[in-house]
Amino acid sequence: AVNDSGNVIQAGEVRIDIVRKLVYVSGEQVVFSKKEFEVLSFLASHQGEIFSREDIIDELWKEAPYVLDRTVDVHIARIRSKLGARKNYLTNRTGYGYVFNVVD
């Protein structure tokens, strides 16, 4: 859920501060690269929606003339690793793409 001011995305145990560019997982601050932050914020702000690699590239790599699908996979893998115990929030739906969904 995005708060009223649109400055914070709260998704289960993941809290994303859009203004300060900070991510907290279960209350602990976790450092994300700029692009990892963008990918996580984008997916978390559209919880439950599935985005193909192409969708993610179109949205977040507009300035790059050519980005490999693999680049998206690498970023997703790094994000999942940083989410630790909450990595299941970010899943791959084979043949469709990636989805951020809060699961217990």
Side-chain angles (χ1 to χ4, degrees):
V2 180
N3 74 357
D4 294 339
S5 59
N7 298 336
V8 175
I9 300 168
Q10 183 73 48
E13 292 293 315
V14 176
R15 183 170 180 268
I16 305 166
D17 185 326
I18 300 297
V19 176
R20 295 167 62 214
K21 308 290 187 236
L22 298 173
V23 179
Y24 299 89
V25 181
S26 303
E28 298 290 315
Q29 186 179 335
V30 181
V31 178
F32 284 79
S33 74
K34 180 176 188 287
K35 199 52 87 172
E36 290 164 356
F37 181 86
E38 290 173 0
V39 172
L40 177 62
S41 302
F42 173 67
L43 292 172
S45 66
H46 298 88
Q47 289 177 55
E49 289 182 50
I50 300 172
F51 293 94
S52 69
R53 292 176 181 89
E54 292 75 22
D55 294 335
I56 294 169
I57 289 169
D58 288 348
E59 185 69 29
L60 300 174
W61 273 274
K62 294 182 183 94
E63 74 286 352
Y66 183 71
V67 176
L68 296 170
D69 288 355
R70 185 82 197 109
T71 304
V72 175
D73 298 342
V74 168
H75 280 80
I76 296 282
R78 287 186 188 142
I79 292 166
R80 291 191 80 222
S81 133
K82 291 178 179 185
L83 291 177
R86 306 293 168 214
K87 69 178 185 283
N88 291 341
Y89 284 7
L90 187 50
T91 54
N92 178 6
R93 295 281 303 279
T94 307
Y96 295 103
Y98 293 103
V99 61
F100 190 98
N101 231 344
V102 175
V103 286
D104 292 322

